[in-house]
Short mmCIF file of all heavy atoms in Angstrom, two decimals:
data_model
loop_
_atom_site.label_atom_id
_atom_site.label_comp_id
_atom_site.label_asym_id
_atom_site.label_seq_id
_atom_site.Cartn_x
_atom_site.Cartn_y
_atom_site.Cartn_z
N ASP A 288 -16.91 -96.67 -5.63
CA ASP A 288 -16.93 -95.36 -6.31
C ASP A 288 -18.28 -95.08 -6.89
O ASP A 288 -18.32 -94.61 -8.10
CB ASP A 288 -15.74 -95.18 -7.28
CG ASP A 288 -15.52 -93.81 -7.78
OD1 ASP A 288 -16.13 -92.81 -7.20
OD2 ASP A 288 -14.86 -93.61 -8.79
N TYR A 291 -18.49 -96.78 -10.18
CA TYR A 291 -17.40 -96.51 -11.25
C TYR A 291 -16.26 -97.61 -11.04
O TYR A 291 -15.33 -97.51 -11.80
CB TYR A 291 -16.94 -95.15 -11.31
CG TYR A 291 -17.91 -94.29 -12.06
CD1 TYR A 291 -18.79 -93.57 -11.45
CD2 TYR A 291 -17.97 -94.29 -13.48
CE1 TYR A 291 -19.80 -92.79 -12.12
CE2 TYR A 291 -18.86 -93.58 -14.16
CZ TYR A 291 -19.82 -92.87 -13.50
OH TYR A 291 -20.74 -92.12 -14.19
N VAL A 328 -17.26 -97.94 -18.28
CA VAL A 328 -15.94 -97.52 -17.62
C VAL A 328 -14.83 -98.24 -18.29
O VAL A 328 -14.48 -99.35 -17.84
CB VAL A 328 -16.07 -97.69 -16.09
CG1 VAL A 328 -14.91 -97.09 -15.44
CG2 VAL A 328 -17.43 -97.22 -15.60
N HIS A 331 -10.75 -98.63 -16.42
CA HIS A 331 -10.32 -99.56 -15.33
C HIS A 331 -11.48 -100.52 -14.94
O HIS A 331 -12.56 -100.30 -15.39
CB HIS A 331 -10.01 -98.68 -14.14
CG HIS A 331 -11.01 -97.57 -13.78
ND1 HIS A 331 -10.73 -96.29 -14.23
CD2 HIS A 331 -12.19 -97.62 -13.17
CE1 HIS A 331 -11.84 -95.54 -13.88
NE2 HIS A 331 -12.63 -96.30 -13.26
N ARG A 370 -0.27 -86.26 -13.36
CA ARG A 370 -1.06 -85.31 -12.50
C ARG A 370 -1.80 -86.18 -11.49
O ARG A 370 -2.10 -87.31 -11.76
CB ARG A 370 -2.14 -84.65 -13.43
CG ARG A 370 -3.15 -83.82 -12.78
CD ARG A 370 -3.82 -82.97 -13.85
NE ARG A 370 -4.76 -83.85 -14.65
CZ ARG A 370 -6.11 -83.77 -14.48
NH1 ARG A 370 -6.60 -82.95 -13.62
NH2 ARG A 370 -6.87 -84.51 -15.25
N ILE A 372 -4.95 -87.16 -9.66
CA ILE A 372 -6.43 -86.88 -9.89
C ILE A 372 -7.14 -86.81 -8.61
O ILE A 372 -7.99 -85.93 -8.41
CB ILE A 372 -6.95 -88.07 -10.80
CG1 ILE A 372 -6.19 -88.21 -12.07
CG2 ILE A 372 -8.50 -87.79 -11.02
CD1 ILE A 372 -6.11 -87.13 -13.01
N PHE A 373 -6.83 -87.62 -7.74
CA PHE A 373 -7.39 -87.55 -6.34
C PHE A 373 -6.29 -87.30 -5.36
O PHE A 373 -5.86 -88.33 -4.66
CB PHE A 373 -8.23 -88.85 -5.96
CG PHE A 373 -9.47 -89.04 -6.82
CD1 PHE A 373 -10.03 -90.24 -7.21
CD2 PHE A 373 -10.22 -87.85 -7.23
CE1 PHE A 373 -11.20 -90.34 -7.94
CE2 PHE A 373 -11.40 -87.97 -7.91
CZ PHE A 373 -11.88 -89.26 -8.29
N PHE A 400 -7.38 -93.51 -10.45
CA PHE A 400 -8.46 -92.98 -9.64
C PHE A 400 -8.31 -93.53 -8.26
O PHE A 400 -7.31 -93.24 -7.53
CB PHE A 400 -9.81 -93.13 -10.29
CG PHE A 400 -9.91 -92.39 -11.52
CD1 PHE A 400 -9.63 -93.04 -12.78
CD2 PHE A 400 -10.23 -91.06 -11.57
CE1 PHE A 400 -9.74 -92.37 -13.89
CE2 PHE A 400 -10.27 -90.34 -12.77
CZ PHE A 400 -10.03 -91.03 -14.02
N PHE A 401 -9.24 -94.36 -7.72
CA PHE A 401 -9.06 -94.92 -6.43
C PHE A 401 -8.40 -96.26 -6.45
O PHE A 401 -8.18 -96.95 -7.51
CB PHE A 401 -10.45 -95.14 -5.77
CG PHE A 401 -11.04 -93.88 -5.48
CD1 PHE A 401 -12.27 -93.41 -6.09
CD2 PHE A 401 -10.55 -93.00 -4.44
CE1 PHE A 401 -12.83 -92.20 -5.84
CE2 PHE A 401 -11.16 -91.76 -4.17
CZ PHE A 401 -12.29 -91.39 -4.81
N GLN A 404 -9.64 -99.22 -8.26
CA GLN A 404 -9.84 -99.16 -9.75
C GLN A 404 -8.57 -99.33 -10.49
O GLN A 404 -7.72 -98.44 -10.48
CB GLN A 404 -10.52 -97.82 -10.09
CG GLN A 404 -11.89 -97.61 -9.58
CD GLN A 404 -12.41 -96.28 -9.32
OE1 GLN A 404 -11.64 -95.36 -8.90
NE2 GLN A 404 -13.69 -95.93 -9.73
N ARG A 434 -22.08 -93.62 -22.27
CA ARG A 434 -21.23 -92.60 -21.69
C ARG A 434 -19.83 -93.25 -21.47
O ARG A 434 -19.64 -94.17 -20.66
CB ARG A 434 -21.77 -92.08 -20.30
CG ARG A 434 -20.80 -91.16 -19.56
CD ARG A 434 -21.40 -90.84 -18.29
NE ARG A 434 -20.63 -89.89 -17.42
CZ ARG A 434 -19.56 -90.18 -16.69
NH1 ARG A 434 -19.08 -91.39 -16.62
NH2 ARG A 434 -18.89 -89.27 -16.05
N ASP A 436 -16.55 -93.25 -19.89
CA ASP A 436 -16.03 -92.60 -18.68
C ASP A 436 -14.47 -92.30 -18.87
O ASP A 436 -13.78 -93.18 -19.44
CB ASP A 436 -16.18 -93.49 -17.55
CG ASP A 436 -15.81 -92.85 -16.18
OD1 ASP A 436 -16.30 -91.84 -15.79
OD2 ASP A 436 -14.94 -93.51 -15.47
N ALA A 437 -14.08 -91.20 -18.32
CA ALA A 437 -12.62 -90.99 -18.21
C ALA A 437 -11.76 -91.18 -19.48
O ALA A 437 -10.76 -91.75 -19.45
CB ALA A 437 -12.01 -91.76 -17.06
N PRO A 439 -9.86 -89.38 -21.29
CA PRO A 439 -8.45 -88.93 -21.60
C PRO A 439 -7.33 -89.94 -21.11
O PRO A 439 -6.19 -89.83 -21.52
CB PRO A 439 -8.34 -87.64 -20.78
CG PRO A 439 -9.84 -87.15 -20.52
CD PRO A 439 -10.59 -88.50 -20.45
N PHE A 440 -7.80 -90.90 -20.29
CA PHE A 440 -6.71 -91.68 -19.61
C PHE A 440 -6.47 -92.98 -20.16
O PHE A 440 -5.63 -93.77 -19.62
CB PHE A 440 -7.16 -91.89 -18.10
CG PHE A 440 -7.38 -90.59 -17.34
CD1 PHE A 440 -8.57 -89.93 -17.30
CD2 PHE A 440 -6.28 -90.01 -16.65
CE1 PHE A 440 -8.65 -88.70 -16.66
CE2 PHE A 440 -6.39 -88.83 -16.01
CZ PHE A 440 -7.61 -88.13 -15.95
N GLU A 478 -16.70 -88.31 -21.73
CA GLU A 478 -16.56 -87.63 -20.42
C GLU A 478 -14.97 -87.26 -20.26
O GLU A 478 -14.23 -88.06 -19.85
CB GLU A 478 -17.03 -88.52 -19.24
CG GLU A 478 -17.08 -87.66 -17.99
CD GLU A 478 -16.00 -88.06 -16.94
OE1 GLU A 478 -15.26 -88.96 -17.15
OE2 GLU A 478 -15.83 -87.25 -15.93
N ALA A 479 -14.70 -86.09 -20.77
CA ALA A 479 -13.27 -85.63 -20.62
C ALA A 479 -13.33 -84.24 -19.94
O ALA A 479 -13.74 -83.30 -20.52
CB ALA A 479 -12.68 -85.50 -22.08
N ILE A 480 -12.90 -84.31 -18.68
CA ILE A 480 -12.86 -83.05 -17.98
C ILE A 480 -11.42 -82.60 -17.84
O ILE A 480 -10.74 -82.79 -16.86
CB ILE A 480 -13.60 -83.21 -16.58
CG1 ILE A 480 -14.93 -84.03 -16.71
CG2 ILE A 480 -13.77 -81.88 -15.86
CD1 ILE A 480 -15.96 -83.34 -17.46
N VAL A 481 -10.96 -81.97 -18.93
CA VAL A 481 -9.57 -81.53 -19.03
C VAL A 481 -9.54 -80.11 -19.63
O VAL A 481 -10.50 -79.43 -19.60
CB VAL A 481 -8.81 -82.63 -19.93
CG1 VAL A 481 -8.51 -83.88 -19.11
CG2 VAL A 481 -9.65 -82.98 -21.17
N HIS A 542 -22.80 -85.48 -11.03
CA HIS A 542 -22.58 -86.23 -9.76
C HIS A 542 -21.05 -86.01 -9.27
O HIS A 542 -20.81 -86.40 -8.18
CB HIS A 542 -22.78 -87.74 -10.07
CG HIS A 542 -21.76 -88.31 -10.99
ND1 HIS A 542 -21.61 -87.91 -12.30
CD2 HIS A 542 -20.72 -89.24 -10.80
CE1 HIS A 542 -20.55 -88.53 -12.93
NE2 HIS A 542 -20.09 -89.33 -11.94
N ASP A 543 -20.27 -85.36 -10.19
CA ASP A 543 -18.85 -85.14 -9.83
C ASP A 543 -18.72 -83.68 -9.18
O ASP A 543 -19.62 -82.87 -9.21
CB ASP A 543 -17.97 -85.35 -10.95
CG ASP A 543 -17.68 -86.79 -11.24
OD1 ASP A 543 -17.79 -87.64 -10.33
OD2 ASP A 543 -17.40 -87.16 -12.41
N ASP A 544 -17.47 -83.41 -8.73
CA ASP A 544 -17.10 -82.08 -8.31
C ASP A 544 -17.04 -81.17 -9.41
O ASP A 544 -17.05 -81.50 -10.64
CB ASP A 544 -15.77 -82.34 -7.66
CG ASP A 544 -14.83 -83.04 -8.63
OD1 ASP A 544 -14.93 -84.20 -8.78
OD2 ASP A 544 -13.87 -82.42 -9.23
N PHE A 586 -13.21 -80.19 -2.33
CA PHE A 586 -13.03 -81.63 -2.75
C PHE A 586 -11.55 -81.86 -3.14
O PHE A 586 -11.05 -81.16 -3.99
CB PHE A 586 -14.02 -82.00 -3.83
CG PHE A 586 -13.89 -83.37 -4.40
CD1 PHE A 586 -14.22 -84.48 -3.63
CD2 PHE A 586 -13.28 -83.55 -5.62
CE1 PHE A 586 -13.99 -85.85 -4.19
CE2 PHE A 586 -13.10 -84.84 -6.24
CZ PHE A 586 -13.50 -85.94 -5.46
N ARG A 596 -11.26 -78.62 -5.73
CA ARG A 596 -12.32 -78.53 -6.54
C ARG A 596 -13.51 -78.50 -5.56
O ARG A 596 -13.27 -78.43 -4.33
CB ARG A 596 -12.53 -79.81 -7.41
CG ARG A 596 -11.71 -79.75 -8.71
CD ARG A 596 -10.65 -80.83 -8.82
NE ARG A 596 -11.25 -82.18 -9.05
CZ ARG A 596 -10.55 -83.26 -8.97
NH1 ARG A 596 -9.26 -83.27 -8.68
NH2 ARG A 596 -11.04 -84.40 -9.24
N ARG A 667 -18.16 -85.89 -2.50
CA ARG A 667 -19.07 -85.71 -3.62
C ARG A 667 -20.44 -86.31 -3.23
O ARG A 667 -21.43 -85.99 -3.81
CB ARG A 667 -18.55 -86.45 -4.84
CG ARG A 667 -17.39 -85.78 -5.49
CD ARG A 667 -16.81 -86.59 -6.68
NE ARG A 667 -16.32 -87.89 -6.25
CZ ARG A 667 -15.92 -88.83 -7.09
NH1 ARG A 667 -15.89 -88.64 -8.39
NH2 ARG A 667 -15.43 -89.93 -6.69
N ARG A 671 -25.09 -85.88 -3.58
CA ARG A 671 -25.82 -86.92 -4.20
C ARG A 671 -26.81 -87.52 -3.16
O ARG A 671 -26.86 -88.66 -2.75
CB ARG A 671 -24.85 -88.20 -4.52
CG ARG A 671 -23.71 -87.71 -5.56
CD ARG A 671 -22.60 -88.80 -5.48
NE ARG A 671 -21.53 -88.47 -6.48
CZ ARG A 671 -20.40 -89.08 -6.58
NH1 ARG A 671 -20.14 -90.16 -5.80
NH2 ARG A 671 -19.53 -88.76 -7.48
C1 OTU B 131 -15.20 -90.04 -13.73
O1 OTU B 131 -14.74 -88.78 -13.33
C2 OTU B 131 -16.49 -90.23 -12.98
O2 OTU B 131 -17.48 -89.40 -13.44
C3 OTU B 131 -16.35 -90.31 -11.47
O3 OTU B 131 -17.51 -90.31 -10.78
C4 OTU B 131 -15.39 -91.39 -11.17
O4 OTU B 131 -15.00 -91.31 -9.81
C5 OTU B 131 -14.14 -91.31 -12.03
O5 OTU B 131 -14.34 -91.11 -13.37
C6 OTU B 131 -13.42 -92.71 -12.03
O6 OTU B 131 -14.15 -93.71 -12.76
O7 OTU B 131 -11.83 -87.23 -12.12
O8 OTU B 131 -13.42 -86.01 -10.51
O9 OTU B 131 -11.23 -86.14 -17.28
O10 OTU B 131 -11.99 -85.97 -14.66
O11 OTU B 131 -13.11 -89.16 -15.56
C7 OTU B 131 -13.95 -86.85 -11.48
C8 OTU B 131 -12.06 -87.07 -16.79
C9 OTU B 131 -12.93 -87.50 -12.34
C10 OTU B 131 -11.99 -87.16 -15.28
C11 OTU B 131 -13.16 -87.99 -14.75
C12 OTU B 131 -13.35 -88.43 -13.39
#
Side-chain angles (χ1 to χ4, degrees):
D288 190 18
Y291 283 99
V328 191
H331 44 266
R370 173 168 76 103
I372 306 300
F373 289 148
F400 297 95
F401 290 113
Q404 290 159 319
R434 173 189 183 275
D436 185 58
F440 299 90
E478 191 251 350
I480 314 296
V481 282
H542 68 295
D543 281 333
D544 49 289
F586 175 70
R596 280 118 70 190
R667 289 178 298 175
R671 301 165 177 175

